[in-house]
């Protein structure tokens, strides 16, 4: 187990290092950063001074290593646009993104797992079809459009929840649904497939033959075994959701890290872009690592592989 | 040897050819047929948009702004109404189908080439090659696709070419993962060992023996990733960092109609429903192909 964890940890660190290099390189694909800091109409002298001041005239690798060392200590430099330390802005915005991400995942799990279990318990029934319908629609519905439609129905026409902002807790409801529905189809399909496999196993037949309560067989004995791959999928999806929250935060005007990413990207604010791409990647890498370890702990067969 | 009745009898009892079996399964699969018909219809609309469109999709008519569609009390001159610049909505919808399908198709092709190459190499060679492939896939998955796409479009400008290339170079992960495991299975087969013993060259084995046998899985992923590329293009255009105005993209039309959300919600409903139907049809088609090409007894 310790060998497994250290191997996975080493791999995750290597992936993180590569990703950090890629997000650093992004700045260099954009052309001369000194020009974009100086702004339009700056003289060559000013640009040269900025280049020296920010250290853009040094070798790329040296700049990368310095940037990485600073990033590791939580210093992502100053935002070109907001003229504030990037880490302060991110720290202020991240809680909103984490809140809707976690709420969204909760919504997805609460919807997907019972539906997946019931769909597998009654294959080809109307419940199974409903679950399939929810999954198929969820895969095809563009989340930004779904969000707008929910705003039209629940905020504009019914006036139940605010259309934007999070001053009141009800402002989190629609973003939670939109973000959560996005993760639902995959989780539901995996739960259903896992349950179908487990339910055909011998020990389930034995349990039924012994006259055990069907509901306790489903939710206690079968689900416990079918849930293992679902746990790891959910962890990975949560990583995706943080990165994908930019769309939801923009529609509902939630001032989270995703919205900050959109603001900084549309204003060519490179240090903020770099920092956010790196941070969202780190979340994903962390969650995948967690999922791998959790999986190995729950299912010892995986440890050798 | 010229016993004609015998051969006729044999022909009757002989099992139907694989192609005919496939066709029979396809015709019986409701989802597949429905998806095929809808995707086929939208493709035809996209191809013949210049002939079908009643107006020029770019022509502004400021005197006829925000005309309502026929079903909301508008007149037949603009069947789906006009947008805030007085451009005919139906014509923009028809041309928008071109943008979506073109981006979906080309991006899926680019990512299919990248992902399939990586996946087949990893699956065939295993060991260190496979470890490298899986490492590249992990790095790609760790990068948040939406943010990276937004950033690259912001840096290089939102032309159709840039959007297609960004999506093509971002969405190959599923190809790599699926092709890798499909190739691992094919690798175990006797005909691969036979080809190796016969001294077939490596490119020949990969091209003539491996690729045809993972083709079914490949086609399924191509359809699903087409839908993925279309939905991402729409999201990028919606956020203002995808296809740029005045190009008619469904995502962009939803973004433009967003301002009028409270008063004229049909402006976002029409392109939204079109997008939803297209994505639904492509996904159902992909699932159908998977069912049909799966070996007997598997679902």
């Amino acid at each position: 187990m310790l060998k497994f964890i250290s191997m996975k940890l080493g791999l995750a660190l290597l992936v993180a290092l590569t990703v950090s290099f890629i997000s650093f390189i992004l700045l260099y694909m954009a052309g001369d950063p000194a020009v974009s800091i100086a702004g339009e109409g700056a003289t060559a002298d000013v640009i040269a001074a900025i280049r020296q001041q920010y250290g853009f005239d040094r070798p790329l690798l040296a700049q990368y290593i310095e940037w990485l060392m600073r990033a590791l200590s939580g210093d992502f430099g100053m935002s070109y646009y907001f003229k504030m330390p990037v880490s302060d802005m991110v720290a202020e915005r991240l809680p909103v993104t984490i809140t809707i991400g976690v709420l969204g995942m909760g919504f997805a799990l609460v919807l997907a797992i019972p539906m997946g279990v019931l769909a597998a318990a009654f294959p080809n029934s109307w419940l199974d079809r409903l679950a399939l319908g929810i999954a198929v629609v969820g895969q095809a519905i563009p989340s930004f459009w779904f969000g707008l439609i929910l705003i039209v129905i629940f905020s504009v026409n019914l006036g139940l929840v605010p259309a934007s902002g999070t001053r009141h807790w009800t402002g989190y409801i629609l973003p939670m649904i939109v973000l959560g529905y996005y993760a639902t189809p995959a989780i539901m399909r995996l739960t259903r497939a896992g349950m179908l496999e487990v339910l055909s196993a011998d020990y389930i037949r034995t349990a039924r033959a012994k006259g055990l309560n069907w509901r306790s067989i489903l939710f206690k004995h079968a689900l416990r075994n079918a849930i293992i791959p679902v746990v790891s999928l959910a962890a990975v999806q949560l990583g995706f959701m943080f990165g994908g929250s930019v769309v939801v935060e923009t529609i509902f005007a939630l001032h989270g890290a995703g919205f900050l990413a959109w603001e900084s990207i549309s204003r060519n604010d490179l240090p903020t872009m770099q920092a956010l791409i790196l941070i969202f990647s780190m979340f994903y890498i962390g969650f995948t690592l967690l999922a791998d370890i959790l999986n190995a702990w729950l299912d010892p067969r995986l440890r050798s592989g | 040897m010229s016993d004609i009745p015998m051969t006729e009898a044999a022909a009757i009892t002989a099992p139907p050819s694989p192609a005919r079996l496939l066709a029979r399964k396809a015709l019986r699969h409701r989802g597949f047929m429905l998806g095929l018909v809808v995707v086929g219809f939208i493709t035809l609309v996209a191809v013949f948009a210049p002939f079908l469109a009643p107006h020029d999709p770019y022509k502004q008519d400021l005197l006829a702004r925000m005309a309502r569609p026929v079903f909301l009390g508008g007149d037949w001159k603009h069947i789906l109404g006009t947008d805030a610049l007085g451009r005919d909505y139906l014509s923009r919808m028809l041309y928008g189908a071109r943008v979506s399908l073109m981006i979906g198709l080309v991006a899926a092709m680019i990512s299919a080439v990248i992902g399939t190459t990586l996946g087949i190499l990893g699956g065939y060679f295993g060991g260190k090659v496979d470890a490298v492939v899986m490492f590249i896939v992990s790095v790609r998955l760790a990068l948040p696709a939406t943010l990276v796409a937004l950033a690259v479009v912001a840096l290089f400008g939102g032309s159709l070419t840039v959007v297609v290339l960004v999506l093509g170079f971002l969405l190959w992960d599923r190809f790599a993962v699926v092709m890798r495991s499909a190739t691992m299975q094919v690798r175990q087969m006797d005909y691969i060992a036979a080809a190796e013993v016969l001294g077939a060259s490596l490119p020949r084995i990969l091209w003539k023996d491996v690729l045809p046998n993972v083709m079914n899985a490949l086609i399924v992923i191509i359809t699903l990733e087409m839908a993925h590329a279309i939905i991402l293009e729409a999201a990028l255009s919606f956020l203002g960092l995808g296809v740029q105005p005045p190009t008619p993209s469904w995502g962009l039309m939803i973004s433009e109609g967003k301002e009028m959300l409270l008063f004229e919600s049909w402006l976002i409903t029409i392109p939204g429903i079109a997008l939803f139907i297209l994505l639904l049809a492509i996904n159902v088609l992909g699932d159908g192909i998977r069912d049909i090409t799966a070996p007997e007894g598997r679902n």
Side-chain angles (χ1 to χ4, degrees):
Chain A
M1 187 72 184
L2 208 64
K3 197 180 154 219
F4 174 86
I5 290 179
S6 52
M7 202 189 77
K8 286 286 176 192
L9 193 66
L11 202 61
L13 283 176
L14 212 56
V15 171
L17 208 62
T18 315
V19 166
S20 75
F21 189 67
I22 293 174
S23 45
F24 178 76
I25 282 294
L26 259 182
L27 191 142
Y28 281 88
M29 303 198 321
D32 197 337
V35 176
S36 50
I37 298 174
E40 273 174 59
T43 60
D45 288 352
V46 174
I47 293 172
I50 288 174
R51 193 169 290 143
Q52 207 174 14
Q53 185 196 338
Y54 281 82
F56 295 137
D57 50 352
R58 292 172 307 138
L60 190 62
L61 200 63
Q63 291 186 49
Y64 165 65
I65 291 171
E66 201 201 315
W67 174 77
L68 186 66
M69 287 305 147
R70 282 198 181 165
L72 282 177
S73 63
D75 175 11
F76 289 97
M78 291 290 275
S79 153
Y80 295 170
Y81 179 80
F82 297 97
K83 313 284 181 209
M84 273 171 73
V86 173
S87 31
D88 288 2
M89 292 196 300
V90 174
E92 190 195 318
R93 306 285 198 101
L94 214 46
V96 175
T97 303
I98 293 176
T99 309
I100 58 167
V102 171
L103 283 174
M105 182 45 74
F107 176 83
L109 292 175
V110 166
L111 182 65
I113 291 181
M115 283 304 287
V117 170
L118 290 174
F122 306 103
N124 295 320
S125 67
W126 66 270
L127 266 168
D128 193 10
R129 274 158 218 276
L130 178 69
L132 184 68
I134 292 177
V136 168
V137 169
Q139 268 175 328
I141 202 160
S143 56
F144 60 93
W145 182 64
F146 184 48
L148 291 177
I149 295 297
L150 289 183
I151 290 177
V152 170
I153 298 174
F154 292 101
S155 309
V156 180
N157 290 344
L158 299 176
L160 290 175
V161 287
S164 62
T166 51
R167 253 165 295 164
H168 195 249
W169 65 269
T170 48
Y172 282 108
I173 295 179
L174 295 185
M176 172 187 85
I177 294 174
V178 173
L179 202 57
Y181 194 22
Y182 164 78
T184 301
I187 297 177
M188 185 142 55
R189 279 170 187 246
L190 195 63
T191 309
R192 181 180 178 274
M195 283 297 285
L196 277 178
E197 198 181 323
V198 171
L199 286 178
S200 64
D202 286 341
Y203 66 88
I204 297 292
R205 210 177 325 149
T206 311
R208 289 195 81 169
K210 282 200 306 191
L212 268 171
N213 181 300
W214 179 227
R215 197 187 307 166
S216 93
I217 292 175
L218 267 187
F219 285 94
K220 265 195 181 158
H221 299 80
L223 184 60
R224 191 173 294 174
N225 288 291
I227 202 97
I228 295 173
V230 178
V231 170
S232 89
L233 177 70
V236 173
Q237 289 268 11
L238 192 58
F240 275 130
M241 279 159 86
F242 284 163
S245 67
V246 52
V247 176
V248 174
E249 289 180 21
T250 314
I251 304 169
F252 293 101
L254 303 178
H255 289 263
F259 191 66
L260 180 64
W262 182 75
E263 287 176 303
S264 62
I265 287 171
S266 41
R267 283 161 183 152
N268 266 330
D269 187 357
L270 292 161
T272 318
M273 277 159 73
Q274 274 180 330
L276 286 169
I277 290 178
L278 187 64
I279 289 168
F280 282 126
S281 301
M282 292 309 129
F283 268 115
Y284 177 85
I285 294 169
F287 283 128
T288 346
L289 182 65
L290 196 70
D292 281 340
I293 294 172
L294 210 60
N295 247 342
W297 181 55
L298 291 169
D299 188 348
R301 282 172 303 178
L302 294 175
R303 276 175 221 163
S304 54
Chain B
M1 288 307 274
S2 58
D3 198 352
I4 294 159
M6 269 292 280
T7 49
E8 255 181 13
I12 290 163
T13 50
S17 71
R20 189 176 287 182
L21 256 179
L22 205 64
R24 194 186 296 168
K25 264 171 134 181
L27 283 170
R28 257 191 234 149
H29 196 288
R30 257 186 292 170
F32 172 82
M33 291 309 290
L34 191 71
L36 192 68
V37 168
V38 175
V39 173
F41 175 75
I42 296 178
T43 309
L44 285 179
V45 163
V47 170
F48 294 107
F51 304 100
L52 294 170
H55 297 270
D56 178 350
Y58 294 102
K59 184 153 179 291
Q60 303 182 5
D61 180 359
L62 294 177
L63 292 175
R65 292 167 61 224
M66 312 272 279
R68 293 195 145 196
V70 167
F71 52 87
L72 289 174
D75 60 42
W76 285 92
K77 187 168 179 257
H78 298 287
I79 298 174
L80 291 182
T82 57
D83 67 6
L85 295 171
R87 295 173 296 196
D88 183 58
Y89 226 49
L90 175 62
S91 307
R92 290 185 71 72
M93 288 299 299
L94 297 176
Y95 276 87
R98 292 187 144 194
V99 173
S100 282
L101 283 179
M102 205 279 286
I103 287 185
L105 207 62
V106 180
M109 286 303 150
I110 296 173
S111 43
V113 171
I114 301 172
T116 307
T117 309
L118 285 172
I120 288 185
L121 289 177
Y124 188 83
F125 290 107
K128 283 199 180 115
V129 179
D130 189 35
V132 172
V133 167
M134 287 318 283
F135 179 75
I136 299 175
V137 172
S138 309
V139 170
R140 158 52 207 98
L141 283 173
L143 286 167
T146 322
L147 288 191
V148 173
L150 284 171
V152 174
V153 173
L155 299 178
F156 289 95
S159 70
L160 217 56
T161 322
V162 170
V163 175
V164 164
L165 286 177
V166 168
L167 296 178
F169 279 94
L170 273 176
L171 301 181
W172 48 264
D173 49 278
R174 203 168 354 172
F175 286 101
V177 172
V178 175
M179 286 297 105
R180 172 178 171 267
S181 54
T183 306
M184 279 177 167
Q185 282 175 11
V186 170
R187 180 87 179 83
Q188 311 293 323
M189 297 294 170
D190 289 338
Y191 54 77
I192 300 291
E196 281 174 345
V197 169
L198 284 172
S201 70
L202 186 68
R204 193 193 147 84
I205 294 178
L206 293 183
W207 188 255
K208 292 266 179 179
D209 297 309
V210 176
L211 191 62
N213 287 296
V214 296
M215 204 42 121
N216 287 346
L218 182 59
I219 292 170
V220 173
I221 307 296
I222 287 178
T223 42
L224 297 180
E225 285 306 302
M226 245 186 93
H228 196 176
I230 290 173
I231 212 170
L232 252 180
E233 178 274 320
L236 296 183
S237 302
F238 173 78
L239 291 173
L241 289 163
V243 177
Q244 296 300 310
T247 312
S249 142
W250 291 348
L252 193 58
M253 288 167 77
I254 295 175
S255 167
E256 289 162 354
K258 190 179 56 171
E259 314 299 325
M260 294 285 131
L261 185 67
L262 303 185
F263 318 104
E264 306 286 346
S265 54
W266 56 269
L267 280 170
I268 64 158
T269 317
I270 293 171
I273 290 177
L275 203 50
F276 175 64
I277 290 175
L278 175 62
L279 294 166
L280 195 65
I282 295 178
N283 279 327
V284 170
L285 184 66
D287 286 348
I289 297 174
R290 173 164 38 208
D291 291 351
I292 292 167
T293 55
E296 286 295 334
R298 252 201 285 166
N299 253 317

